[in-house]
Structures are given as C-alpha cells and as structure tokens.
Amino acid sequence: MDPNMDDYETEEEPGFVVEDVSKIVKESVEAAIGGNTYQHSRVNQWSTSVVEQCLSQLSKLGKPYKYIVTCIITQKNGAGLQTASAFFWDNTTDGSCAVRWENKSMYCIVSVFGLAI
Amino acid sequence: MDGSDSYLIRPHHQHKFRPAAVKECVREIVRERLSEVRYDPEEVPELTRSLADSIKDKLKNAGFDRYKLVVQVVIGEQRGQGVKMTSRCLWDADSDNYAEDVFMNDSLFCVVAVFGSYYY
C-alpha cells in the first residue's frame, strides 16, 4: 500500500530575504517623503506613512513572519545619531534589515525586523 | 509517553510580556549608564551597542519564556534638531507587546524600544 504522501513543500523559499525587504523599504521611503524638505508639522504624518506602507508591502510577501518596522526621521543640522539593536531570536529563520536614506534636509533610518512564526 | 512538547499558543498570564515591568527595567539600566555621559562621536557607537546588549541580557533572565526579544537603542546628540521615531508591527496583539523609554540630558537623548513576540 503506497502511502500517498502529500508534498508539503511551500513554493516560495521561506526566510528573511534582506534584498527584497531593503527594496521595499527604499520604495516606501521614496514614495512617502521623496522630494520634501523637513517640516516639523508634517513629520508625524510622513513617518507614519513610511512605516505603514512598508508594513503593507511586507505583508503582501505572504511569508509566515511577524514584522516590526521602525522609522526615525531627523533634521539635518550636524548633530550625530547612532542606533544599535540586540536580538534574542532564532538565527536561522529571523533577520533584520536597516536602510538609511537622506535628502538635503533630513535623514530617514528605517529598520525592519522579521520574526518567524 | 513522557516529555511531550508543549503546544501553547497563548502565553500563560504570568509569563506575558509586561510593558510596565520591562520599561522599569530599561529605565534603570539607561539611567545608570547614561546620567553623566556627554555625547562623544568616538564612544557613542560602542556605548549604544553595549547598552543594547546589556538590556537584552537583563531581559532574557527576566522570565519571559518563549518570547523572542528585539531591543533597539537610539542615541543622538542634542542640538535642537527635530527627531521623530515611529514604529508599527504586524503581529499577534494578544500575545505580543512592546515597551519604550526616553532619556534626556543636556548633551544627548536616548530612546530604547523593546519588542517582545511570542514564539508559538
């Protein structure tokens, strides 16, 4: 009796693919704040839109991952900024990606963390 | 049949990620490490990294079983510039949560965000 084994292999390669995520982030940032100059009153709306756009594109990838996206927008005035992250997760399946973007008046740093379910 | 795997899909109430407790813990560490520090571009990269590691290590031992942790530390110089930090997460709101803390002194500001995600 031949056990009819179903093939449970998923079509797409699971895993946190840094290039794909990085591309999604760059596009979202460009679309949300592309040609703008830093304006204190609009920063709220910009950072929200960057993050929400990234998240919606990431969820469209359809992978079994939970995502955390953070975005920091800062005005350019010569001040220094440093970010660091530490993780306690599964190295084989989880990953992170940080993208730095700038224009003449501001810097935008977006970090994406993907945690496998 | 002994030693079965546990298939908990929800954290037990006592082991849930408690933002208030995590925030307290983070606050203590940050205040202890940064209260007298001035922003120095040579030292800050090392400082941020070591702060992130210490916070992560402290939280690992705080009893959040089955939680994956992500700690993000941002340290910036205070020069009157505008800064905005936002985050959004795609996760399970019943079991996952986050905690944040902001510390400022005359020469720098420090934002710490800790995200806890339950591993089913």
Side-chain angles (χ1 to χ4, degrees):
Chain A
M1 219 160 354
D2 226 280
N4 197 359
M5 285 294 284
D6 283 331
D7 193 356
Y8 288 115
E9 217 152 291
T10 48
E11 266 123 36
E12 356 174 305
E13 198 38 56
F16 191 80
V17 185
V18 177
E19 296 92 54
D20 289 347
V21 174
S22 169
K23 194 166 89 114
I24 286 176
V25 169
K26 289 198 178 102
E27 286 168 5
S28 307
V29 174
E30 207 41 60
I33 57 181
N36 296 314
T37 316
Y38 184 89
Q39 268 171 275
H40 191 69
S41 54
R42 296 192 61 191
V43 153
N44 245 332
Q45 164 205 351
W46 284 338
S47 63
T48 310
S49 104
V50 166
V51 172
E52 285 177 357
Q53 204 152 348
C54 283
L55 212 46
S56 78
Q57 298 289 41
L58 286 169
S59 68
K60 286 198 187 124
L61 290 175
K63 299 200 171 158
Y65 273 81
K66 292 182 179 177
Y67 295 104
I68 298 168
V69 182
T70 62
C71 164
I72 304 170
I73 297 186
T74 159
Q75 199 178 9
K76 271 191 179 182
N77 77 340
L81 185 81
Q82 183 74 31
T83 66
S85 332
F87 338 100
F88 177 57
W89 63 21
D90 183 345
N91 268 329
T92 52
T93 55
D94 305 333
S96 74
C97 159
V99 174
R100 220 190 65 174
W101 180 95
E102 63 179 281
N103 71 9
K104 278 201 282 241
S105 61
M106 53 188 173
Y107 288 113
C108 177
I109 301 170
V110 179
S111 324
V112 179
F113 305 99
L115 306 172
I117 294 178
Chain B
M1 238 182 335
D2 209 12
S4 51
D5 289 335
S6 64
Y7 292 108
L8 284 172
I9 55 165
R10 285 280 175 272
H12 192 256
H13 181 67
Q14 270 124 7
H15 299 310
K16 228 171 174 177
F17 188 89
R18 289 185 311 278
V22 174
K23 186 181 164 115
E24 237 352 274
C25 179
V26 166
R27 216 180 198 140
E28 232 179 81
I29 299 181
V30 170
R31 265 147 194 59
E32 187 192 316
R33 298 278 294 267
L34 294 184
S35 30
E36 301 297 315
V37 176
R38 302 207 62 77
Y39 187 92
D40 179 359
E42 309 283 309
E43 297 187 1
V44 149
E46 194 39 52
L47 180 60
T48 357
R49 224 164 297 152
S50 94
L51 199 54
D53 283 330
S54 331
I55 294 177
K56 178 201 59 166
D57 290 332
K58 183 110 194 261
L59 291 175
K60 257 169 71 178
N61 301 325
F64 298 119
D65 290 343
R66 302 186 72 128
Y67 268 94
K68 289 184 175 177
L69 300 170
V70 175
V71 177
Q72 190 176 27
V73 175
V74 179
I75 296 189
E77 198 180 350
Q78 281 248 45
R79 276 227 213 160
Q81 80 274 32
V83 181
K84 177 80 184 166
M85 180 162 163
T86 323
S87 68
R88 285 281 185 285
C89 313
L90 181 68
W91 62 19
D92 182 344
D94 279 340
S95 53
D96 305 334
N97 218 322
Y98 81 101
E100 51 163 286
D101 189 42
V102 179
F103 169 79
M104 296 206 283
N105 72 14
D106 288 329
S107 78
L108 57 76
F109 66 88
C110 173
V111 180
V112 178
V114 179
F115 303 93
S117 160
Y118 190 71
Y119 184 63
Y120 303 112

Short mmCIF file of all heavy atoms in Angstrom, two decimals, chain A residues 86 88, chain B residues 17-19 21-27 29 51-65 67-72 99 112-116:
data_model
loop_
_atom_site.label_atom_id
_atom_site.label_comp_id
_atom_site.label_asym_id
_atom_site.label_seq_id
_atom_site.Cartn_x
_atom_site.Cartn_y
_atom_site.Cartn_z
N ALA A 86 19.83 44.77 19.56
CA ALA A 86 20.27 43.47 20.03
C ALA A 86 19.06 42.57 19.93
O ALA A 86 17.93 43.00 20.16
CB ALA A 86 20.74 43.56 21.47
N PHE A 88 17.21 38.60 20.58
CA PHE A 88 17.21 37.27 21.18
C PHE A 88 16.21 36.50 20.37
O PHE A 88 14.99 36.60 20.58
CB PHE A 88 16.79 37.39 22.66
CG PHE A 88 16.68 36.08 23.36
CD1 PHE A 88 17.78 35.23 23.43
CD2 PHE A 88 15.51 35.69 23.97
CE1 PHE A 88 17.70 34.01 24.08
CE2 PHE A 88 15.42 34.48 24.63
CZ PHE A 88 16.51 33.64 24.68
N PHE B 17 4.32 39.26 28.30
CA PHE B 17 5.25 40.38 28.21
C PHE B 17 4.60 41.59 28.86
O PHE B 17 3.62 42.11 28.36
CB PHE B 17 5.52 40.66 26.73
CG PHE B 17 6.60 41.67 26.48
CD1 PHE B 17 7.92 41.28 26.38
CD2 PHE B 17 6.30 43.02 26.33
CE1 PHE B 17 8.92 42.21 26.14
CE2 PHE B 17 7.29 43.95 26.08
CZ PHE B 17 8.60 43.54 25.99
N ARG B 18 5.13 42.01 30.00
CA ARG B 18 4.50 43.12 30.71
C ARG B 18 5.25 44.41 30.43
O ARG B 18 6.37 44.60 30.93
CB ARG B 18 4.49 42.84 32.21
CG ARG B 18 3.51 41.74 32.59
CD ARG B 18 3.42 41.55 34.09
NE ARG B 18 4.75 41.45 34.73
CZ ARG B 18 5.46 40.34 34.79
NH1 ARG B 18 5.01 39.24 34.24
NH2 ARG B 18 6.64 40.35 35.37
N PRO B 19 4.68 45.30 29.63
CA PRO B 19 5.39 46.52 29.24
C PRO B 19 5.85 47.35 30.43
O PRO B 19 6.96 47.90 30.40
CB PRO B 19 4.35 47.30 28.41
CG PRO B 19 3.36 46.30 27.98
CD PRO B 19 3.36 45.20 28.98
N ALA B 21 6.74 46.46 33.48
CA ALA B 21 7.91 45.88 34.14
C ALA B 21 9.16 46.04 33.28
O ALA B 21 10.25 46.36 33.77
CB ALA B 21 7.67 44.39 34.42
N VAL B 22 9.00 45.85 31.96
CA VAL B 22 10.14 45.97 31.07
C VAL B 22 10.63 47.41 31.04
O VAL B 22 11.83 47.69 31.08
CB VAL B 22 9.76 45.52 29.64
CG1 VAL B 22 10.89 45.79 28.67
CG2 VAL B 22 9.41 44.05 29.63
N LYS B 23 9.67 48.35 31.03
CA LYS B 23 10.05 49.77 30.99
C LYS B 23 10.85 50.16 32.22
O LYS B 23 11.84 50.88 32.13
CB LYS B 23 8.78 50.61 30.91
CG LYS B 23 9.06 52.07 30.72
CD LYS B 23 7.77 52.87 30.67
CE LYS B 23 8.06 54.34 30.88
NZ LYS B 23 7.75 55.16 29.71
N GLU B 24 10.44 49.65 33.37
CA GLU B 24 11.15 49.92 34.62
C GLU B 24 12.58 49.42 34.54
O GLU B 24 13.54 50.09 34.87
CB GLU B 24 10.46 49.17 35.77
CG GLU B 24 10.00 49.98 36.91
CD GLU B 24 10.43 51.42 36.88
OE1 GLU B 24 11.53 51.77 37.36
OE2 GLU B 24 9.64 52.23 36.35
N CYS B 25 12.70 48.21 34.05
CA CYS B 25 14.00 47.56 33.94
C CYS B 25 14.91 48.35 33.01
O CYS B 25 16.07 48.63 33.32
CB CYS B 25 13.71 46.15 33.42
SG CYS B 25 15.13 45.18 33.17
N VAL B 26 14.37 48.76 31.87
CA VAL B 26 15.15 49.51 30.89
C VAL B 26 15.56 50.86 31.47
O VAL B 26 16.71 51.29 31.35
CB VAL B 26 14.31 49.73 29.61
CG1 VAL B 26 14.94 50.77 28.73
CG2 VAL B 26 14.16 48.44 28.85
N ARG B 27 14.63 51.51 32.13
CA ARG B 27 14.87 52.83 32.72
C ARG B 27 16.05 52.81 33.68
O ARG B 27 16.92 53.67 33.65
CB ARG B 27 13.63 53.20 33.52
CG ARG B 27 13.38 54.59 33.43
CD ARG B 27 12.22 55.06 34.17
NE ARG B 27 12.01 56.34 33.53
CZ ARG B 27 10.88 56.87 33.22
NH1 ARG B 27 9.81 56.26 33.53
NH2 ARG B 27 10.82 58.01 32.60
N ILE B 29 18.56 50.66 33.81
CA ILE B 29 19.83 50.45 33.13
C ILE B 29 20.28 51.72 32.43
O ILE B 29 21.45 52.12 32.52
CB ILE B 29 19.73 49.31 32.10
CG1 ILE B 29 19.35 48.02 32.79
CG2 ILE B 29 21.03 49.15 31.35
CD1 ILE B 29 19.27 46.86 31.85
N LEU B 51 24.88 49.03 25.42
CA LEU B 51 23.62 49.26 26.12
C LEU B 51 22.56 48.29 25.61
O LEU B 51 21.83 47.67 26.39
CB LEU B 51 23.18 50.70 25.88
CG LEU B 51 22.17 51.30 26.82
CD1 LEU B 51 22.64 51.17 28.24
CD2 LEU B 51 21.98 52.77 26.48
N ALA B 52 22.51 48.11 24.29
CA ALA B 52 21.53 47.19 23.71
C ALA B 52 21.77 45.78 24.22
O ALA B 52 20.84 45.06 24.60
CB ALA B 52 21.58 47.22 22.18
N ASP B 53 23.04 45.38 24.26
CA ASP B 53 23.35 44.04 24.75
C ASP B 53 23.00 43.87 26.21
O ASP B 53 22.46 42.84 26.61
CB ASP B 53 24.83 43.72 24.53
CG ASP B 53 25.12 43.38 23.08
OD1 ASP B 53 24.21 42.84 22.42
OD2 ASP B 53 26.23 43.66 22.60
N SER B 54 23.33 44.87 27.04
CA SER B 54 23.01 44.71 28.47
C SER B 54 21.52 44.61 28.70
O SER B 54 21.07 43.81 29.51
CB SER B 54 23.49 45.87 29.34
OG SER B 54 24.59 46.47 28.84
N ILE B 55 20.75 45.42 27.97
CA ILE B 55 19.30 45.39 28.16
C ILE B 55 18.77 44.02 27.72
O ILE B 55 17.96 43.40 28.40
CB ILE B 55 18.62 46.52 27.38
CG1 ILE B 55 19.03 47.86 27.98
CG2 ILE B 55 17.11 46.37 27.40
CD1 ILE B 55 18.46 49.05 27.25
N LYS B 56 19.27 43.54 26.60
CA LYS B 56 18.80 42.24 26.11
C LYS B 56 19.14 41.15 27.11
O LYS B 56 18.32 40.29 27.41
CB LYS B 56 19.45 41.93 24.76
CG LYS B 56 19.05 40.58 24.22
CD LYS B 56 19.99 40.04 23.20
CE LYS B 56 21.36 39.90 23.76
NZ LYS B 56 22.28 39.10 22.96
N ASP B 57 20.36 41.18 27.66
CA ASP B 57 20.75 40.14 28.62
C ASP B 57 19.90 40.20 29.88
O ASP B 57 19.46 39.17 30.39
CB ASP B 57 22.23 40.28 28.99
CG ASP B 57 23.13 39.91 27.82
OD1 ASP B 57 22.69 39.09 26.99
OD2 ASP B 57 24.25 40.44 27.73
N LYS B 58 19.63 41.39 30.35
CA LYS B 58 18.83 41.52 31.56
C LYS B 58 17.42 40.97 31.33
O LYS B 58 16.85 40.30 32.17
CB LYS B 58 18.78 42.99 31.96
CG LYS B 58 18.05 43.29 33.24
CD LYS B 58 19.01 43.72 34.35
CE LYS B 58 18.31 43.68 35.69
NZ LYS B 58 17.87 45.01 36.11
N LEU B 59 16.87 41.27 30.15
CA LEU B 59 15.51 40.82 29.88
C LEU B 59 15.43 39.33 29.63
O LEU B 59 14.42 38.69 29.92
CB LEU B 59 14.93 41.58 28.69
CG LEU B 59 14.68 43.04 28.99
CD1 LEU B 59 14.23 43.75 27.73
CD2 LEU B 59 13.63 43.20 30.07
N LYS B 60 16.50 38.75 29.10
CA LYS B 60 16.50 37.31 28.88
C LYS B 60 16.26 36.58 30.19
O LYS B 60 15.59 35.56 30.23
CB LYS B 60 17.87 36.87 28.35
CG LYS B 60 17.89 36.59 26.87
CD LYS B 60 19.29 36.43 26.35
CE LYS B 60 19.94 35.15 26.81
NZ LYS B 60 21.31 35.01 26.24
N ASN B 61 16.83 37.16 31.28
CA ASN B 61 16.70 36.49 32.56
C ASN B 61 15.50 36.95 33.35
O ASN B 61 15.36 36.62 34.52
CB ASN B 61 17.96 36.77 33.41
CG ASN B 61 19.20 36.29 32.69
OD1 ASN B 61 19.14 35.28 32.01
ND2 ASN B 61 20.28 37.03 32.82
N ALA B 62 14.63 37.73 32.72
CA ALA B 62 13.50 38.26 33.48
C ALA B 62 12.29 37.35 33.47
O ALA B 62 11.25 37.70 33.98
CB ALA B 62 13.13 39.63 32.95
N GLY B 63 12.42 36.18 32.83
CA GLY B 63 11.32 35.22 32.92
C GLY B 63 10.26 35.30 31.85
O GLY B 63 9.15 34.83 32.03
N PHE B 64 10.58 35.91 30.70
CA PHE B 64 9.59 35.92 29.62
C PHE B 64 9.83 34.70 28.77
O PHE B 64 10.49 34.76 27.73
CB PHE B 64 9.71 37.19 28.79
CG PHE B 64 9.43 38.43 29.58
CD1 PHE B 64 10.40 39.41 29.72
CD2 PHE B 64 8.20 38.62 30.18
CE1 PHE B 64 10.16 40.55 30.45
CE2 PHE B 64 7.94 39.77 30.90
CZ PHE B 64 8.92 40.74 31.05
N ASP B 65 9.30 33.55 29.21
CA ASP B 65 9.52 32.32 28.49
C ASP B 65 8.91 32.38 27.11
O ASP B 65 7.83 32.89 26.93
CB ASP B 65 8.85 31.16 29.24
CG ASP B 65 9.59 30.87 30.53
OD1 ASP B 65 10.73 31.32 30.65
OD2 ASP B 65 9.00 30.21 31.39
N TYR B 67 9.49 34.02 24.58
CA TYR B 67 9.38 35.30 23.89
C TYR B 67 10.67 35.59 23.14
O TYR B 67 11.76 35.46 23.68
CB TYR B 67 9.13 36.43 24.90
CG TYR B 67 7.66 36.69 25.11
CD1 TYR B 67 6.96 36.09 26.14
CD2 TYR B 67 6.98 37.53 24.24
CE1 TYR B 67 5.61 36.33 26.30
CE2 TYR B 67 5.63 37.78 24.40
CZ TYR B 67 4.95 37.17 25.43
OH TYR B 67 3.62 37.41 25.60
N LYS B 68 10.51 36.00 21.88
CA LYS B 68 11.66 36.49 21.13
C LYS B 68 11.74 37.99 21.42
O LYS B 68 10.71 38.66 21.44
CB LYS B 68 11.45 36.29 19.63
CG LYS B 68 11.50 34.84 19.21
CD LYS B 68 11.39 34.73 17.69
CE LYS B 68 11.57 33.30 17.23
NZ LYS B 68 11.38 33.17 15.79
N LEU B 69 12.95 38.49 21.63
CA LEU B 69 13.09 39.90 22.00
C LEU B 69 13.88 40.67 20.96
O LEU B 69 14.87 40.16 20.44
CB LEU B 69 13.85 40.02 23.32
CG LEU B 69 13.25 39.35 24.54
CD1 LEU B 69 14.24 39.36 25.68
CD2 LEU B 69 11.98 40.09 24.96
N VAL B 70 13.44 41.89 20.70
CA VAL B 70 14.23 42.78 19.84
C VAL B 70 14.40 44.06 20.63
O VAL B 70 13.43 44.65 21.07
CB VAL B 70 13.50 43.09 18.52
CG1 VAL B 70 14.28 44.10 17.71
CG2 VAL B 70 13.31 41.83 17.71
N VAL B 71 15.64 44.49 20.82
CA VAL B 71 15.92 45.71 21.58
C VAL B 71 16.55 46.70 20.62
O VAL B 71 17.54 46.38 19.97
CB VAL B 71 16.92 45.43 22.71
CG1 VAL B 71 17.26 46.71 23.45
CG2 VAL B 71 16.39 44.39 23.66
N GLN B 72 15.99 47.91 20.54
CA GLN B 72 16.60 48.91 19.67
C GLN B 72 16.96 50.13 20.50
O GLN B 72 16.11 50.65 21.23
CB GLN B 72 15.66 49.29 18.54
CG GLN B 72 16.35 50.12 17.49
CD GLN B 72 15.46 50.44 16.32
OE1 GLN B 72 14.25 50.49 16.45
NE2 GLN B 72 16.05 50.66 15.17
N ALA B 99 7.76 47.87 24.81
CA ALA B 99 7.95 48.86 25.87
C ALA B 99 8.99 49.85 25.36
O ALA B 99 9.86 49.50 24.58
CB ALA B 99 8.45 48.17 27.13
N VAL B 112 14.93 53.94 23.85
CA VAL B 112 15.06 52.49 23.82
C VAL B 112 13.70 51.89 23.54
O VAL B 112 12.72 52.26 24.19
CB VAL B 112 15.55 51.95 25.18
CG1 VAL B 112 15.64 50.44 25.13
CG2 VAL B 112 16.89 52.55 25.53
N ALA B 113 13.62 50.98 22.58
CA ALA B 113 12.35 50.31 22.30
C ALA B 113 12.61 48.82 22.40
O ALA B 113 13.57 48.31 21.83
CB ALA B 113 11.85 50.68 20.91
N VAL B 114 11.77 48.12 23.16
CA VAL B 114 11.91 46.67 23.31
C VAL B 114 10.64 46.03 22.78
O VAL B 114 9.55 46.39 23.22
CB VAL B 114 12.08 46.28 24.79
CG1 VAL B 114 12.21 44.77 24.91
CG2 VAL B 114 13.28 46.96 25.39
N PHE B 115 10.77 45.10 21.86
CA PHE B 115 9.60 44.42 21.31
C PHE B 115 9.66 42.96 21.72
O PHE B 115 10.71 42.32 21.59
CB PHE B 115 9.62 44.49 19.78
CG PHE B 115 9.67 45.90 19.25
CD1 PHE B 115 10.89 46.50 18.97
CD2 PHE B 115 8.51 46.62 19.02
CE1 PHE B 115 10.96 47.80 18.48
CE2 PHE B 115 8.56 47.92 18.53
CZ PHE B 115 9.78 48.50 18.26
N GLY B 116 8.53 42.42 22.21
CA GLY B 116 8.51 41.01 22.60
C GLY B 116 7.48 40.27 21.77
O GLY B 116 6.31 40.66 21.74
#
